[in-house]
Amino acid sequence: MCTCATYKTKDHYFGRNLDLEFSYQESVTVTPRNFPIPFRTKETLTHHYALIGMAFVCSGFPLYYDATNEFGLSMAGLNFPGNGFFGEPEADGKDNISPFEFIPWILGQCKNLSEAKTLLGNIRLVNIPFSSQLPITPLHWMIADQNGCIVVESVRDGLHIYDNPVGVMTNNPTFDIQLFRLNDYRGVSAAASENTFAKGLDLDAYSRGMGGIGIPGDLSSGSRFVKVAFTKMNSVSDDSEDSSVSQFFHILGSVEQQRGCCDLGDGKYEITIYSSCCNMDRGIYYYRTYDNSQISAVDMHRENLDGSSLASYPLITKQQIRQVN
């Protein structure tokens, strides 16, 4: 399970937690404009917009978990078990795109959310696995630019595109239900709550933070959606890069998973393998990992974006501790 979010100060930010029990040896990967991106039912994109994001590079193909292109359009795929459905390709003029190639298909060709919506109008997400060893994963996606955010879900009755006014996403249930459930928490507040329990009954605010009583704190996807939406929409930082990036990681940290708290059996535990934050305006991809809380960064504009070869940077997973005495 995972969590995705946007954030805005002076610049715009997009990132996610990847929550799993194992790693695919993912790396921060820059795909330059002239790297050929092949598609299973469409022609190879030999020239496209440059991308940066987290990917598992398999047989030379960047399987992106999340990415941002050179114009700031950003996209992440999150697990959607039991709901994600991908049919068979059809020859009806629509673009038959597999989930594993969906991110480069959109980000390679679209500068903004408006162009992405146009491309989505002619797309069918289909059941074509990357390989027999890497079958289709049920996913849904959040797509955002500097001005808006949507969620894309392919389910049995078709492709659904939702406007996302809170700029966050988790996993199940479907996004419309997740968004509706926020109504259950309309009374919570970042400020101290008023005593409305009963007239004449004197009740004390014995602790700070009591305005948020009722916000769930468990690790289920529905609870994480509520918690990260509340945290993100009430977050305050100055507009410097350091403060903005730091605050973004605190937002994701409000729903990160610690080893031992989500027991999958057989000695396996779901953890937050990495958290990411990409400055959508500058193309700088920041991340930290479960065992390394130091923030590392890769700047796409320090690469040759007119090149034809991937640039991949393995994650720094060993804890970096600064000894001060």
Side-chain angles (χ1 to χ4, degrees), residues 24-182:
Y24 280 103
Q25 304 305 311
E26 50 277 342
S27 59
V28 181
T29 300
V30 177
T31 299
R33 300 179 186 113
N34 294 307
F35 174 82
I37 303 178
F39 294 92
R40 296 298 172 89
T41 69
K42 305 296 293 182
E43 293 184 359
T44 296
L45 286 179
T46 57
H47 184 74
H48 49 78
Y49 302 136
L51 284 67
I52 186 171
M54 194 70 74
F56 169 41
V57 180
C58 185
S59 300
F61 189 93
L63 296 167
Y64 277 109
Y65 306 173
D66 55 89
T68 295
N69 73 14
E70 59 187 288
F71 297 98
L73 186 65
S74 303
M75 188 169 176
L78 276 64
N79 203 18
F80 197 39
N83 279 312
F85 177 81
F86 312 111
E88 299 305 311
E90 297 182 26
D92 59 357
K94 285 197 171 185
D95 299 321
N96 294 296
I97 301 298
S98 173
F100 77 82
E101 57 192 13
F102 189 28
I103 289 179
W105 178 255
I106 295 293
L107 299 189
Q109 302 181 86
C110 302
K111 293 181 179 179
N112 51 47
L113 202 55
S114 177
E115 292 184 3
K117 289 179 179 178
T118 298
L119 206 60
L120 287 168
N122 195 51
I123 200 170
R124 176 185 293 106
L125 292 171
V126 295
N127 184 24
I128 301 177
F130 182 79
S131 67
S132 58
Q133 292 77 33
L134 292 173
I136 290 290
T137 300
L139 298 172
H140 60 168
W141 292 265
M142 191 165 90
I143 308 175
D145 65 6
Q146 291 88 339
N147 298 304
C149 183
I150 61 173
V151 168
V152 178
E153 296 181 340
S154 179
V155 294
R156 287 191 175 273
D157 66 351
L159 192 72
H160 293 256
I161 301 172
Y162 301 100
D163 288 327
N164 184 347
V166 293
V168 302
M169 188 177 83
T170 58
N171 312 100
N172 287 326
T174 55
F175 184 75
D176 55 335
I177 296 175
Q178 294 269 42
L179 196 61
F180 181 81
R181 285 191 64 232
L182 293 182

Side-chain angles (χ1 to χ4, degrees), residues 194-224:
E194 182 183 354
N195 176 19
T196 59
F197 188 88
K199 290 183 178 180
L201 184 62
D202 187 19
L203 299 176
D204 293 331
Y206 59 84
S207 171
R208 294 179 178 179
M210 292 179 66
I213 288 179
I215 295 174
D218 63 87
L219 297 177
S220 67
S221 55
S223 293
R224 281 186 285 107

Side-chain angles (χ1 to χ4, degrees), residues 126-314:
V126 295
N127 184 24
I128 301 177
F130 182 79
S131 67
S132 58
Q133 292 77 33
L134 292 173
I136 290 290
T137 300
L139 298 172
H140 60 168
W141 292 265
M142 191 165 90
I143 308 175
D145 65 6
Q146 291 88 339
N147 298 304
C149 183
I150 61 173
V151 168
V152 178
E153 296 181 340
S154 179
V155 294
R156 287 191 175 273
D157 66 351
L159 192 72
H160 293 256
I161 301 172
Y162 301 100
D163 288 327
N164 184 347
V166 293
V168 302
M169 188 177 83
T170 58
N171 312 100
N172 287 326
T174 55
F175 184 75
D176 55 335
I177 296 175
Q178 294 269 42
L179 196 61
F180 181 81
R181 285 191 64 232
L182 293 182
N183 288 292
D184 295 340
Y185 304 94
R186 64 184 303 270
V188 302
S189 169
S193 57
E194 182 183 354
N195 176 19
T196 59
F197 188 88
K199 290 183 178 180
L201 184 62
D202 187 19
L203 299 176
D204 293 331
Y206 59 84
S207 171
R208 294 179 178 179
M210 292 179 66
I213 288 179
I215 295 174
D218 63 87
L219 297 177
S220 67
S221 55
S223 293
R224 281 186 285 107
F225 183 87
V226 175
K227 179 67 180 297
V228 76
F230 177 83
T231 306
K232 174 260 172 96
M233 299 195 78
N234 287 284
S235 285
V236 177
S237 70
D238 66 42
D239 61 7
S240 70
E241 185 73 350
D242 286 351
S243 292
S244 300
V245 171
S246 177
Q247 185 71 355
F248 192 92
F249 280 108
H250 283 302
I251 292 168
L252 292 179
S254 71
V255 290
E256 67 183 8
Q257 301 206 31
Q258 298 78 29
R259 183 176 286 114
C261 294
C262 184
D263 190 343
L264 304 177
D266 297 324
K268 297 179 181 179
Y269 302 95
E270 186 164 276
I271 62 172
T272 299
I273 292 177
Y274 76 83
S275 300
S276 68
C277 168
C278 189
N279 184 315
M280 301 161 72
D281 305 300
R282 303 185 194 183
I284 304 173
Y285 190 94
Y286 303 91
Y287 73 90
R288 63 185 187 189
T289 67
Y290 189 85
D291 290 314
N292 180 17
S293 52
Q294 182 187 67
I295 297 171
S296 302
V298 179
D299 186 341
M300 72 184 301
H301 296 288
R302 294 188 178 185
E303 303 296 325
N304 177 15
L305 297 186
D306 285 320
S308 57
S309 299
L310 297 177
S312 289
Y313 295 89

